[in-house]
Structure formats: C-alpha cells, structure tokens
C-alpha cells in the first residue's frame, strides 16, 4: 500500500526571529494560516490517508509534531536520536513502514515547502507513485521552473521512459550560477523539490549499493532489534549525508516525472515576496507608508514602517529583525553572532 | 525662599512605541539610565532641596510622577483636572507655593529636557534665581546655540542689564527657517529652553496684565477656595495658552541670562543621535551590521539590523517601529493612523 514519509527534521533559523531552534520553519504558518507541516499533511490527505502517514523529526520537535498533527498516532512520529540528514531518516522510516506493510510503496517529501495548488500537486505525486509501482525505479518529481533560480537543485532529464511523461535522469546540478540557471530553465531542466516515490525494496537495494555503511549501521534494526539503545547505536554508525548525494546521484535506475505546480522551498524571508502578486508580503498588524516591497511579519504585536524601501521587518515579542532584502542570507550569520552571548542564545533557542 | 516648579504635563507620543499616552516622554530614560523627570529632579536637588520642589502634571500621570519621585510629598504633586498648557499650570503652582511661602521665588522648568552637565546648568539657573530676587523681572535662561536648529524657539537679547551677563529681551522667534536660524546663531541669539525664574508676585502681576482671563478664572483659588470642584471650575475657565505666548511675549520686564550648557529638548527619535559622539544611538540589546547612523532602542528584547543605513528601529514587546531618520516627524501621523483602529489604539494608550 501507499505510505507517505514526511521529513520534518529541519532545525534551521533562517526565519529568525520567528523561527527558533525549538520552532523551526516547518512549524511556522509561512504563506498561509497553518504551519507548513500541517499544510503538507492536509494537502496530502486526499492522496494518502492519515493512518498511513509517517513523520520523521528530531526528539526535541516530536511533541510539536504531535501537536500540529493530532490525527497521527504517536507511533507514526519517528523521533531520531540525532540528526543524520535525509538518507538515514528515510532508511529508518522505510524499516518502520516495512515492519507493518512489507513491500509498501513510499512517497517521501519534505514538511516545509509551500504549494498553493494542491490538486496539481496531488496529480503529479499520484503519477510518481503509479510509476514507482510498475517500475523498479527511484522516481523523482521534477517541478518545471517558473523563474531563473540559483538557490535550487536542478535535474537534467534524459530519454523518455515508456509512453508517459516520465524521463530518465541525466544528472543533478546544485545551485548553479545565474548564467547556467538561465540555460537550464531554457533547456527544460527541472527543479528537484525533494519529493520521491519508490517501493521499499527498491530503495533498500539502492542504499545497499550506494551507501553500504548506512545499510550496515541499520542492519540490526532491519533484523528486528528494537528499543532506544539499538536505535541510538544505529544512528551513531550512520553516515550523515543527504539522500540526494548518498543514494540518488549514485543510482542508475532513476526516473523523473515532470510536473507543473507552484512550489517554493521558502529558503529565506525574501521568498515570501514571491507568494503574493505584487511583491512584498504582510502578516499580522502592519502599518506602512512609502516602503515599497516591504516584507513585514508582526507576531503578537504591530510592525510600523515609514520611508524605508525594500526591507524585511519582523516583530516578535522579544526580538525585532530589520534586514535589507538583498541581504537576507546574512540572517544566518546574525543568529550565529547572537548565539555567542548568553542573552542572545535565549533569543535563538526560543 | 526658592522653590522649583517642574512642568510634567506632556502627553505626547513622539517617542512611540516607547512612549504611550500613559507613559509620555518625561517618564522615559532617554539618553540616560533614569527617566527625564527623575534626571531633572536629581540635577536640581543641589540647588533647591526636594522639600521645595513641585511637579505639575495631569491626573492620569500623577501616580507615575509619585513613583518616579518618591521623595516628594503627595501635596507637592499638582494634578491638573484638564490640560490648559503652561500659563495655567504655572499660575496654579504659583498659588500653591504662595499659600505656603508668600513672596517665594520660583524656578520654573520642563521635566523632559536632556542636560548632561549638571554643574554648568545649576550655575546658570542659580544666576537666574539671583537676578530674579533683586529685580522685578521675569528672568529667562537662554542657552547659547551649538548648532543651527530650526525646531527651537530663539530669543534675541537686547541691551545689557547692570554689570552681569543678563540682557533685556528684544523679541522671540519660534522655529525659524534654516537661513534665519543660521543668522540667529551668528548674531548671538539664544535658545529658549523654557527655564524661568521670578518672584511669585512679579509673575502674578504679569498674568493680570497680559492674561486677565486666566487671572479671573483663578481668582477664587487665589482667594482661598479649595477642593476639586473649585479647581475644576478654575481650569474650565482658564485659557489654553503657553506662558511664552500668553505672558512672556506680552511683558515688558523680561531679562535673559545667557548660559552655556549642553541642552536638548529631545523633540523626536532623531534627537538621540546628537547625544553620542559619532551619530547613531543604541539602547538595550542591539546587534547591527552595515547600518551606519543607526538609532536603535530595544525595550525588553533585542533589535537586529543588517544593511539598512540611516534608520530608527525601536522594539517593544508589542510593537516595532522602523522609520527613515529624515522622516521621524511622521511618527505623529503614524500614531494618529493607529488610533483610528481599536487594536492600534491599545498600542498607543499603553
């Protein structure tokens, strides 16, 4: 049967001061009225029922996941003992699904993307699932680019597979230069949105071939060992690598299903301006004058801006961020600087 | 004997969101670690003992005054039933002082100016008091300008009076154009800092001559009528006018004592940049990068700014203000706009 594995292990603070170590991006209502995690769940429910959804997260966030998704049984929330990137997270979830439903078909996806058109999204994901059921392939969903974007990973599609729209995968390119990105968009490359479909055994085969260290570390779990200590030991031995680098880029049996739905990975505060129609973005009580392009977020309080163009302003009860839109990448450094002082650390932990 | 009357009736919100209707400027620790009111009191104590200090304020702020100045007996805090500008405030205080100490000598001053050099300040105020004791004059303290300032009122000094530095007053000019202000500074005009010294009877005489309506309204109080109803009636009949317009500009017996102490009336957020040495100002937890000239105030929380020059950023737990430094005058309009909504009104009332 079809199961979904939602990866909610992110712990970043690129949306600081709204995001904190204890409340990373997937728990924020970015671009909507519910958290990105909740929105992902709701978007998926018509395709895969809640009973067959799984969430992989960190121990510190397990309770927050349960609060966001009260429909899920606690056994569906997989709390990793330590962060080991996506290859290990998916490998563990695969074992847990297998225990319950041997030979299951998995949809794997991140918890923190923004997708405003759920119908087109579900159509594409359904196609990927269908393909993965009939072919021994690791199937990727590739989003047709809507702009030249240097922050995403691109998939170069290869030859057609069968009669459908699916293609083989020629190569992956991470974060290209503007010139290359422009060429990629013109030549039909696709965005890698981190959504995959495969049967458990096809994925496990690929892990054994490409990441034998991960397969070895998790072997005791695969053989039925259970309990916190066994899990801790497995994770201690697991390599920290993404599924893209560790498995997909080394596999020969890939397929990509091109899809056309609006999608954004919300990589920084600036991403919010893409969600509206006229640039800029406002959340909460905002009063602004002569501040074109303003991205403002008022969390329990108000943001007021006069005469400052192209800026991001975020208010939370204990911190305010003001950053020029073309420097949002530096929020990360700022957070690092804050973490070097005790009072600042409190503002990052949250 | 010498008494001081501190005028603390201001209710403005030019320092919003730090200042609120319930917590106007005189209660804020602008440019120091204690409130401007408290700083004024402490600066004055070596010149006039606390037992002979009086504060005129509004009813809504009387408790805040008592909290800031626990040394004062509650009978020294004069809570006006309604705002009627400075002429009425001083006239009432004069009556109250008279009751206790007929023929007293008054020093009148605002509660909300910034003065970093108390010794020079006290020397000047002492001179004004001394002059007012020997001459039947309304004595003003005139601060020698340290810059061309168009937001202040200027005093043109006239002929010398006696052997000391005191001069007669030729005329007052409010908020001149930049060109005129430049000329005034070059020609030795003085800033009117709102600090006055006079004997009670000299002031009362001037009120009778220049503001007979005020004298009439307060006549029952002068004749010994007491109680809230009498006070309310007196204020209802009093004209709302400043002592400058209502009395000083119409009087012939003025004197001005020139003085050289650093003084600022802190008319807006931007004024804070004059208090430091290198432009900009920071209060509380502030982390900034590439934001030259930043004026930042963090009240119970942190302000962080990246790549935004010449801006004012104020954080309070329920509101953030970001305003271009050359537009701080518009904070007033912003507050007006907020007051038109219910949620905004709460943010202004405080």
């Amino acid at each position: 049967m079809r199961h979904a594995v939602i990866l909610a292990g992110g712990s970043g603070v690129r949306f600081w001061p709204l995001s904190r170590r204890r409340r990373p991006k997937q728990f924020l209502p970015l671009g909507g009225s519910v958290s990105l995690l909740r929105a992902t769940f709701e978007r998926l429910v018509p395709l895969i029922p809640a009973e067959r959804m799984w969430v992989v997260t960190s121990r510190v966030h397990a309770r927050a996941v349960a609060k966001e998704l009260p429909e899920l049984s606690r056994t569906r929330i997989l709390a990793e003992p330590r962060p080991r990137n996506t290859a290990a997270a998916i490998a563990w979830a695969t074992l847990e699904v297998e225990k319950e439903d041997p030979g299951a078909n998995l949809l794997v996806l991140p918890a923190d993307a923004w997708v405003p058109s759920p119908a087109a999204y579900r159509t594409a994901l359904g196609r990927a699932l269908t393909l993965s059921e009939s072919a021994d392939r690791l199937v990727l969903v590739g989003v047709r680019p809507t702009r030249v974007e240097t922050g995403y990973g691109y998939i170069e599609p290869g030859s057609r597979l069968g009669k459908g729209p699916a293609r083989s995968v020629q190569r992956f390119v991470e974060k290209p230069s503007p010139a290359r990105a422009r060429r990629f968009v013109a030549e039909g490359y696709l965005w890698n949105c981190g959504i995959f479909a495969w049967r458990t055994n096809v994925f496990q085969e690929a892990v054994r071939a490409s990441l034998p260290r991960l397969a070895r570390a998790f072997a005791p779990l695969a053989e039925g060992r259970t309990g916190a200590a066994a899990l801790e030991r497995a994770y201690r031995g697991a390599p920290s690598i993404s599924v893209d680098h560790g498995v997909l880029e080394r596999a020969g049996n890939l397929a990509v299903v091109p899809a056309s739905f609006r999608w954004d990975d919300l990589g920084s505060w600036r991403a919010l301006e893409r969600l509206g129609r006229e640039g800029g973005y406002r959340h909460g009580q905002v009063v602004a004058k002569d501040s074109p392009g303003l991205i403002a977020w008022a969390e329990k309080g108000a943001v007021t801006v006069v005469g400052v163009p192209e800026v991001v302003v975020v208010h939370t009860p204990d911190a305010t961020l003001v950053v020029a839109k073309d420097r949002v990448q530096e929020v990360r450094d700022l957070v690092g600087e804050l973490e070097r002082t005790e009072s600042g650390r409190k503002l990052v932990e949250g």
Side-chain angles (χ1 to χ4, degrees), chain A:
Chain A
M1 286 202 285
R2 293 175 171 183
H3 292 250
V5 173
I6 300 173
L7 303 175
S11 63
V13 285
R14 280 179 296 182
F15 283 83
W16 188 89
L18 191 64
S19 64
R20 307 287 170 110
R21 294 280 177 218
R22 294 184 170 280
R23 193 193 181 215
K25 184 183 141 201
Q26 60 268 32
F27 299 107
L28 306 179
L30 297 172
S33 56
V34 299
S35 72
L36 292 170
L37 171 62
R38 177 86 208 158
T40 299
F41 171 84
E42 291 179 356
R43 196 185 305 127
L44 218 51
V45 157
L47 193 64
I48 294 180
E51 311 87 72
R52 295 206 301 274
M53 284 208 220
W54 305 71
V55 178
V56 189
T57 190
S58 70
R59 283 194 178 151
V60 74
H61 299 127
R63 192 178 302 177
V65 170
K67 211 174 143 198
E68 282 299 301
L69 306 178
E71 297 91 341
L72 290 200
S73 136
R74 281 305 294 254
T75 61
R76 291 291 191 247
I77 299 170
L78 304 177
E80 298 184 285
R82 58 179 68 194
R84 276 293 187 264
N85 213 327
T86 51
I90 299 168
W92 182 31
T94 301
L95 290 171
E96 294 293 324
V97 175
E98 270 274 290
K99 270 192 228 170
E100 203 180 286
D101 184 7
N105 196 29
L106 295 192
L107 185 65
V108 175
L109 67 165
D112 59 354
W114 178 82
V115 178
S117 313
Y121 166 91
R122 282 190 294 266
T123 301
L125 272 55
R127 270 193 200 131
L129 278 165
T130 302
L131 176 60
S132 70
E133 274 151 10
S134 62
D136 289 347
R137 288 185 179 269
L138 300 167
V139 181
L140 288 66
V141 173
V143 173
R144 287 195 184 88
T146 50
R147 66 177 188 280
V148 174
E149 167 64 58
T150 57
Y152 290 169
Y154 284 76
I155 299 168
E156 183 186 358
S159 54
R160 292 185 58 174
L161 299 173
K163 294 178 296 178
R167 312 270 292 263
S168 68
V169 169
Q170 199 68 26
R171 60 166 178 156
F172 295 91
V173 185
E174 268 296 303
K175 298 182 181 169
S177 66
R180 290 184 84 201
R182 214 169 298 121
R183 185 162 65 76
F184 291 171
V185 172
E187 295 180 358
Y189 283 47
L190 302 163
W191 284 339
N192 181 0
C193 61
I195 304 180
F196 317 120
W198 47 59
R199 295 201 312 286
T200 52
N201 62 314
V202 174
F203 178 69
Q204 286 170 324
E205 185 82 19
V207 170
R208 274 192 295 273
S210 305
L211 270 182
R213 225 179 103 211
L214 176 59
R216 270 198 307 278
F218 278 11
L221 303 180
E223 289 153 15
R225 200 79 57 85
T226 58
L231 186 66
E232 169 65 36
R233 214 164 18 245
Y235 263 83
R236 216 164 32 226
S240 185
I241 192 166
S242 71
V243 71
D244 302 74
H245 287 313
V247 181
L248 305 184
E249 291 180 9
R250 303 171 186 181
N253 57 335
L254 300 180
V256 60
V257 173
S260 293
F261 54 82
R262 267 186 90 189
W263 173 86
D264 205 299
D265 87 339
L266 303 180
S268 73
W269 278 115
R270 187 156 201 188
L272 295 185
E273 74 183 344
R274 295 195 293 261
L275 311 193
R277 275 186 195 170
E278 347 213 314
Y281 188 85
R282 294 177 184 200
H283 176 99
Q285 193 175 0
V286 177
V287 179
K289 203 176 149 192
D290 298 338
S291 301
L294 174 67
I295 296 173
W297 190 290
E299 186 77 2
K300 293 177 197 156
V303 162
T304 54
V305 187
V306 179
V308 185
E310 300 306 326
V311 79
V312 176
V313 179
V314 184
H315 167 91
T316 69
D318 64 358
T320 284
L321 168 72
V322 180
V323 55
K325 269 160 93 174
D326 54 6
R327 298 187 66 175
V328 290
Q329 299 305 335
E330 297 176 46
V331 171
R332 191 189 288 264
D333 308 330
L334 187 73
V335 166
E337 188 169 334
L338 279 170
E339 283 184 315
R340 283 198 286 277
T341 69
E342 201 187 9
S343 57
R345 235 179 345 261
K346 279 183 202 151
L347 296 174
V348 177
E349 280 302 317

